[in-house]
Amino acid sequence: TQLLEQSPQFLSIQEGENLTVYCNSSSVFSSLQWYRQEPGEGPVLLVTVVTGGEVKKLKRLTFQFGDARKDSSLHITAAQPGDTGLYLCAGAINRGGGTSYGKLTFGQGTILTVHP
Amino acid sequence: DADVTQTPRNRITKTGKRIMLECSQTKGHDRMYWYRQDPGLGLRLIYYSFDVKDINKGEISDGYSVSRQAQAKFSLSLESAIPNQTALYFCATSGRQGDYGYTFGSGTRLTVV
């Protein structure tokens, strides 16, 4: 059972377009992270969100954490070829009582291709 | 030097062979993890260790074993490799607030023929 559902799985767009990637679960997260992975390398952390409703911006990337802490989105404005890669969301599941065990569950990833 | 170093980067081995993947980190973190990545399946947790004396199975531990030789070193072994263990393997480390971000190695591409 996939605890974290990412959509879409594949995204192919032209340079300059905007896009949104979604990460959804029926579980409540104590925190949620987004990673970017390039071929031949490990995932690299982009951002961590911890508060329901939180919005964080990283240049042209905007990350939002849902109010109920069950979902998140990544929005890229004016995509560039350098944004091409695999984007992964990962959540630490809240096991009630607010205690996180530090283990992350990963979504299956979104492969983004930005064409010049 | 990289914060998390994995060796080897690539390995081809035969069915039935024992193989060890090694990982070392310079972050000074207590927690270390081994993940497996397959296309369309994201990253799946094989084993994790919250300190040298604490080792736990993840969701897909069958056919794998681990050893935490020191705070900085965590190795993964395939006792008798089989073709469906062909995958990308990643080691990661985190601080005690593990949900605040992992640092990953560059991965080992393992092919079992």
Side-chain angles (χ1 to χ4, degrees):
Chain A
T1 301
Q2 186 74 31
L3 292 177
L4 268 170
E5 295 289 339
Q6 257 185 267
S7 61
Q9 271 194 279
F10 301 94
L11 202 49
S12 180
I13 61 172
Q14 293 297 126
E15 183 176 1
E17 293 183 11
N18 301 331
L19 67 109
T20 302
V21 178
Y22 300 93
C23 183
N24 295 286
S25 177
S26 58
S27 301
V28 176
F29 302 119
S30 56
S31 69
L32 192 136
Q33 301 164 20
W34 285 92
Y35 292 81
R36 179 166 169 263
Q37 184 180 7
E38 297 191 36
E41 297 298 330
V44 175
L45 180 67
L46 295 173
V47 76
T48 300
V49 285
V50 297
T51 304
E54 183 175 2
V55 177
K56 282 193 174 179
K57 293 192 175 185
L58 187 65
K59 296 185 180 178
R60 293 175 294 100
L61 279 59
T62 301
F63 305 87
Q64 187 158 8
F65 201 13
D67 291 340
R69 292 186 291 143
K70 293 183 177 182
D71 57 271
S72 181
S73 64
L74 158 60
H75 182 78
I76 301 179
T77 303
Q80 299 176 0
D83 295 327
T84 293
L86 173 67
Y87 289 82
L88 293 157
C89 66
I93 302 297
N94 190 326
R95 298 184 185 274
T99 300
S100 168
Y101 293 92
K103 291 188 299 174
L104 293 181
T105 297
F106 284 82
Q108 72 269 51
T110 296
I111 298 175
L112 171 65
T113 305
V114 182
H115 301 280
Chain B
D1 289 344
D3 291 328
V4 180
T5 301
Q6 290 184 237
T7 56
R9 287 298 310 272
N10 292 282
R11 180 74 181 266
I12 300 174
T13 192
K14 293 184 178 180
T15 298
K17 292 290 186 181
R18 184 179 188 273
I19 182 170
M20 179 182 288
L21 309 183
E22 299 191 10
C23 176
S24 62
Q25 53 104 352
T26 57
K27 299 282 286 186
H29 288 164
D30 290 323
R31 298 184 173 191
M32 297 187 75
Y33 313 83
W34 275 103
Y35 280 88
R36 167 179 172 158
Q37 186 174 42
D38 299 277
L41 294 178
L43 289 157
R44 293 182 293 166
L45 184 62
I46 306 173
Y47 269 95
Y48 63 102
S49 171
F50 281 178
D51 65 43
V52 175
K53 295 181 180 180
D54 179 53
I55 293 177
N56 305 279
K57 293 182 177 180
E59 58 182 303
I60 54 164
S61 60
D62 287 348
Y64 302 95
S65 63
V66 291
S67 174
R68 185 83 184 264
Q69 300 94 328
Q71 185 201 39
K73 296 183 183 294
F74 193 35
S75 59
L76 175 72
S77 294
L78 286 67
E79 298 301 327
S80 179
I82 56 177
N84 75 2
Q85 290 178 313
T86 293
L88 266 173
Y89 290 85
F90 287 101
C91 174
T93 186
S94 74
R96 290 189 177 182
Q97 291 292 336
D99 53 349
Y100 282 85
Y102 287 9
T103 301
F104 282 86
S106 296
T108 294
R109 181 172 293 279
L110 177 66
T111 303
V112 183
V113 298

